[in-house]
Amino acid sequence: MTDDAPADPPDRGTEDSGDLVGEGVARREDAALLTGAATFTDDIDATDLAYLTFARSDEAHAEIESVDATAAESMDGVLAVYTWEDVAASAVPGVLPISTHGLDCDPPGHPVLARDRVRYQGQPVAAVVAEDRYRARDAADAVEIDYDPLPAVVDQRDAQEADAPTVYDDAPDNVAVTSELGDADAADEAVAAADHVVEVDLTNNRLIPNALEPRAAVARWDAGDERLTVELTSQSPHGHRGKLSTTLGLPESDIRVVAPSVGGGFGHKGHHHPGEAAAAFAAMDLDRPVKWTATRGENYLAGAHGRDHRTRAELAVDDDGRIRGLRVETDANVGGYGLGGSLSMPGWYGSLLSSQYDIPAIHCETRAVFTNTTPIHSYRGAGRPEAGYVIERLVGAAARELDFDPVELRRENQISEFPHETAVGATYDSGDYELGLDEALDAAGWDDLRERPERDDGGRYLGVGLACYVESTGGGHESGVVRVHPDGTVTVYAGTHSHGQGHGTTYAQIVADELGVDYDAIDVNEGDSDATPTGTGTFGSRSTITGGNAVAESAHVVREKARKLAANLLDAPQDAVEYDDGEFAAPDGETCTFADVAEAAYGWGVPEDMDPGLEATTFFEQEETAYTFGTHAVAVAVDPETGTVDIERYVALDDCGERVNPTIVEGQVEGGVAQGIGQARYEGAVYAADGTLETDSMLDYAVPRSFHVPDIQTEATVTPSPTNDLGVKGIGEAGTIAAPPAVVNAVCDALEPLGISHVDMPLTEERVWTAIRDAEG
Ligand code: MCN
């Protein structure tokens, strides 16, 4: 904070607070996005701009015998062809940073260009730079790469077999790390003692993130200042600056990262990619600006995937419906390389396994397993959808096996006192889980849905499904600056970066309320590492909690300084000055506006014991996690002739504490549910045994279209979080957590008359049809 800021975070109270927080203010960013006025990375032009593209590996696992760039180099318009030898001959380390802390092995990071071996199909082997992107593409095709193919492994359970190919010699069993959470003995005892043990063996399908805008970067090297500027598709500009610093061997002070408008990220633009580093390497080497834009196909092959868990789990339940324990064993595919912290990420997922339930004993063992597939990183939800799926499928299966009402089984076990510490170490801050369940059921017309016949008049099987969830949100620190200009207008800077979430609107609402100034006088800036104090970025549904509280605290500090300045202008004691709606008033009736005070702050109206200026910087640290929760209810009809699943009703009840902007919250829920339905019904990466990605385009990998997504009725309860002054929790990922188990539970309920208890995601027509045919014998 600035010198004027108090050492301890201020108690902001509610005095003078405005009324924009809580309103569904229309998103101010949409006009530019919808009319094409916004600038995305690929829109950026520059004098002498050159274009980079990769020659990528056709093989999933092979030694590289040779790379011959002679033909490519001689092609018209080609400026350079780089291989690992060029990187090695330079001062650039050329390896993307990887966190190996706590691993059972010490694998190298992902090299920007393949060193001697490729470990997944699509790994960049050579980078070609040319005068235009088409010549670059042609030249990349002309790079001749000789491989000595090695056997490949794509499935994480197969990879642990004794005769499986080894991805890294350092990890002979292909296991990067085995993580444990909870108490193994207690879970074993619960399973041994319970009246029933319900088992599931589930696949959480591998997903391929499909943001509208693929990854892209434009790098410029200023040889005079010896400074690199990289404009790129980033969720975390300072995070990218740090990673580029490690990969390129440049100090962070010599790198500026700017993320312009970003067309969706879904977690996929939070981590570092060879493309950004290669563009920077080439820009420095050629002393020309260099652009790299991934094609949709490259995004499929090598843009990092999400999920891909295989899980066996047992739920110990007594006759009365009380859950006694949970035992989970998960094999998580991490692909051919670690990226950042991706190898330890699967180990975190167990901390959400207790969900809304009071489960006294839980044990979860997770193995992060290397395979010859595209690296896995976070994808919207990142661990929470995987955990939510396991526990909600188990509860659904238990209700059926014990012949228990699925609502009552959930109600029987729901946590009702807060804070609540789970058996896997999470401390839930606040909630009213039963209220959420009841409101969701009411909104869905659950009792009527339950009374529907097994089949409708057309012979379709009818079913209903529920998913209750808990989502950990926020974490870490975030920066927020509130700068008042001499004319009383305001610029807010935050270390987060919106890529569809509407921070420009949200932060302006918060600051307008805190400062008591006009919403339209507040401009919000994110995405420039030179302009903003070091921030953490946007992921983990953290921005409203961390960025929102950071800008709120800064606004509060500014307002209190403005009050002191106003007291000086009005010649009144500070305590006696009232502030309302942009106007300070002294007891004698004299007034001055916020703009008068701003002008005085930069002019001659500053008392001797104060510094000039009117701005504050806050690094807000979120010390405790805020846990969002909710219940989603779904009704489906399944056509036995075609395997088609119709989602006839979808109700999403979510509680993210106080809502800054309920309309944006609804949009976030709907977007997440659409992606969750995508996972449940359509999406799934498929690899051939040799490591070829068979679903390498939108022709083979079905992203849901608008007509695949039903009307989603969004409902809310509001349980403020005690972890932060705004009382908020995150919402950006909730839909992806609740939708998959709610839909699968509904389909399993529909198919119960046929004796079908489980169908793996995605519930494609073919898969559902086959399950029905098999059941009918
Ligand atoms: N909000 C609110 N009140 C709350 C919580 C949130 O009003 N209590 C609103 C705010 O308007 C805020 C938005 O919801 O701008 C999202 O806030 P938050 O839950 O804090 O999430 P983040 O801004 O940190 O966004 C991250 C989250 C994640 S992790 C993914 S992945 C994701 C997502 O948001 N990717 C998205 N939503 C996305 N939406 C779009 N359009 N595109 C993506 O790539």
Side-chain angles (χ1 to χ4, degrees):
M1 291 190 196
T2 59
D3 293 346
D4 299 310
D8 292 323
D11 174 5
R12 298 202 299 274
T14 53
E15 185 215 14
D16 292 339
S17 58
D19 49 12
L20 280 179
V21 168
E23 288 298 309
V25 176
R27 285 167 37 126
R28 51 163 61 169
E29 41 278 277
D30 284 348
L33 295 171
L34 293 173
T35 59
T39 301
F40 294 87
T41 302
D42 195 51
D43 295 329
I44 294 166
D45 205 356
T47 310
D48 264 353
L49 185 61
Y51 294 79
L52 181 143
T53 197
F54 287 117
R56 295 178 180 275
S57 170
D58 299 327
E59 300 285 335
H61 199 193
E63 299 288 352
I64 297 178
E65 299 273 274
S66 65
V67 183
D68 184 353
T70 324
E73 278 166 342
S74 66
M75 287 169 76
D76 205 20
V78 171
L79 299 167
V81 181
Y82 300 108
T83 64
W84 176 257
E85 279 181 17
D86 300 297
V87 179
S90 74
V92 165
V95 178
L96 308 188
I98 175 179
S99 167
T100 53
H101 179 73
L103 301 189
D104 302 337
C105 56
D106 191 16
H110 192 310
V112 172
L113 297 169
R115 264 192 282 232
D116 42 10
R117 207 198 266 205
V118 287
R119 292 186 169 84
Y120 66 96
Q121 190 200 23
Q123 183 177 342
V125 178
V128 178
V129 186
E131 297 288 354
D132 66 60
R133 64 180 90 202
Y134 307 103
R135 288 173 211 239
R137 180 72 267 149
D138 286 346
D141 290 342
V143 174
E144 286 179 23
I145 307 165
D146 274 342
Y147 300 98
D148 181 7
L150 298 166
V153 61
V154 298
D155 177 274
Q156 57 268 49
R157 284 186 182 157
D158 294 347
Q160 294 171 72
E161 298 292 332
D163 57 351
T166 301
V167 182
Y168 292 98
D169 296 342
D170 194 31
D173 56 358
N174 289 319
V175 176
V177 58
T178 301
S179 333
E180 288 190 62
L181 263 182
D183 185 333
D185 292 340
D188 289 348
E189 278 167 30
V191 168
D195 296 332
H196 306 270
V197 178
V198 179
E199 294 175 34
V200 291
D201 192 340
L202 306 168
T203 296
N204 202 293
N205 34 336
R206 177 184 276 244
L207 302 179
I208 304 182
N210 261 292
L212 277 176
E213 180 201 27
R215 297 181 80 106
V218 176
R220 302 164 211 248
W221 175 243
D222 182 333
D225 274 357
E226 298 203 330
R227 219 163 174 254
L228 177 73
T229 299
V230 184
E231 288 154 292
L232 82 171
T233 52
S234 173
Q235 299 176 211
S236 168
H238 290 98
H240 267 109
R241 185 181 68 178
K243 286 164 190 149
L244 280 165
S245 160
T246 310
T247 308
L248 300 170
L250 283 179
E252 289 194 57
S253 56
D254 286 349
I255 303 174
R256 176 182 179 199
V257 168
V258 181
S261 289
V262 175
F266 309 118
H268 175 243
K269 290 173 182 161
H271 59 84
H272 193 24
H273 187 277
E276 295 110 52
F281 178 82
M284 290 162 69
D285 184 58
L286 298 170
D287 198 10
R288 279 182 70 161
V290 174
K291 179 187 282 187
W292 164 75
T293 303
T295 61
R296 181 66 55 185
E298 288 181 293
N299 194 70
Y300 269 87
L301 262 184
H305 297 171
R307 317 268 197 269
D308 206 346
H309 278 199
R310 304 208 40 204
T311 297
R312 291 188 196 94
E314 295 155 296
L315 192 71
V317 198
D318 279 344
D319 284 332
D320 59 4
R322 283 292 307 154
I323 299 174
R324 295 178 70 135
L326 170 62
R327 211 161 52 180
V328 179
E329 208 187 323
T330 289
D331 295 300
N333 197 335
V334 293
Y337 289 91
L339 290 173
S342 72
L343 300 180
S344 42
M345 269 179 206
W348 309 340
Y349 110 113
S351 65
L352 263 297
L353 280 167
S354 199
S355 186
Q356 293 193 1
Y357 311 114
D358 185 4
I359 306 178
I362 304 179
H363 181 250
C364 175
E365 182 173 303
T366 310
R367 288 177 286 275
V369 186
F370 290 117
T371 61
N372 297 114
T373 60
T374 299
I376 292 276
H377 207 279
S378 49
Y379 178 53
R380 199 172 190 172
R384 290 88 124 224
E386 292 90 322
Y389 188 62
V390 171
I391 182 67
E392 281 304 300
R393 285 293 296 119
L394 273 170
V395 172
R400 177 187 179 128
E401 283 184 33
L402 274 67
D403 201 16
F404 229 90
D405 183 298
V407 172
E408 292 317 314
L409 185 59
R410 286 175 168 88
R411 206 189 293 284
E412 178 66 33
N413 290 285
Q414 271 177 329
I415 293 159
S416 56
E417 284 180 17
F418 298 87
H420 174 93
E421 191 172 346
T422 70
V424 269
T427 304
Y428 297 163
D429 55 331
S430 65
D432 191 338
Y433 297 164
E434 190 169 19
L435 178 69
L437 174 64
D438 287 342
E439 302 251 322
L441 297 175
D442 268 3
W446 185 259
D447 291 339
D448 294 342
L449 291 171
R450 290 289 288 172
E451 279 170 19
R452 295 190 301 172
E454 269 180 12
R455 301 176 80 163
D456 69 8
D457 292 345
R460 297 181 312 165
Y461 288 93
L462 304 177
V464 286
L466 278 181
C468 299
Y469 76 92
V470 167
E471 176 191 2
S472 53
T473 65
H477 70 83
E478 198 48 80
S479 64
V481 177
V482 171
R483 178 172 300 159
V484 182
H485 304 289
D487 65 355
T489 58
V490 179
T491 304
V492 174
Y493 297 90
T496 49
H497 192 50
S498 195
H499 42 284
Q501 294 87 348
H503 296 168
T505 306
T506 313
Y507 293 161
Q509 286 177 256
I510 294 170
V511 172
D513 275 10
E514 283 288 340
L515 278 189
V517 303
D518 188 11
Y519 167 82
D520 291 322
I522 299 167
D523 198 28
V524 176
N525 265 282
E526 296 177 295
D528 183 341
S529 67
D530 271 8
T532 313
T534 298
T536 304
T538 289
F539 48 85
S541 298
R542 64 186 299 282
S543 304
T544 312
I545 307 174
T546 59
N549 277 288
V551 301
E553 264 183 47
S554 287
H556 182 82
V557 171
V558 164
R559 189 176 73 176
E560 290 315 297
K561 181 170 182 185
R563 190 195 299 278
K564 280 190 207 164
L565 289 162
N568 186 52
L569 286 183
L570 298 170
D571 204 14
Q574 193 188 314
D575 294 349
V577 172
E578 306 254 313
Y579 182 57
D580 188 29
D581 206 17
E583 195 169 75
F584 294 94
D588 62 5
E590 285 292 305
T591 62
C592 66
T593 64
F594 187 82
D596 296 333
V597 170
E599 192 181 5
Y602 295 97
W604 305 109
V606 184
E608 275 182 9
D609 62 343
M610 287 178 76
D611 291 332
L614 194 53
E615 70 172 71
T617 300
T618 300
F619 285 91
F620 176 84
E621 175 84 37
Q622 188 195 345
E623 277 156 15
E624 292 162 66
T625 304
Y627 289 86
T628 296
F629 64 93
T631 296
H632 290 203
V634 176
V636 298
V638 184
D639 187 337
E641 298 304 318
T642 60
T644 304
V645 175
D646 267 342
I647 300 176
E648 301 192 309
R649 188 116 178 79
Y650 197 108
V651 171
L653 177 298
D654 300 276
D655 189 323
C656 59
E658 299 290 355
R659 293 175 299 166
V660 179
N661 187 319
T663 307
I664 299 183
V665 167
E666 283 172 20
Q668 286 293 311
V669 170
E670 286 174 7
V673 168
Q675 279 176 295
I677 289 175
Q679 165 155 35
R681 298 231 22 230
Y682 306 103
E683 301 183 42
V686 177
Y687 277 95
D690 68 354
T692 301
L693 178 65
E694 294 188 326
T695 48
D696 62 353
S697 80
M698 283 195 181
L699 288 175
D700 305 302
Y701 181 95
V703 179
R705 283 170 278 171
S706 58
F707 59 82
H708 289 125
V709 181
D711 280 344
I712 298 156
Q713 182 178 334
T714 49
E715 301 286 338
T717 54
V718 175
T719 313
S721 174
T723 64
N724 62 88
D725 282 352
L726 290 173
V728 295
K729 306 178 179 191
I731 194 63
E733 298 158 285
T736 60
I737 304 167
V743 171
V744 177
N745 279 342
V747 171
C748 292
D749 181 55
L751 301 181
E752 184 173 0
L754 294 167
I756 296 171
S757 57
H758 178 66
V759 188
D760 261 327
M761 299 190 291
L763 302 175
T764 57
E765 269 83 352
E766 187 262 341
R767 202 170 260 181
V768 174
W769 184 87
T770 305
I772 293 170
R773 285 294 162 278
D774 288 351
E776 288 175 344

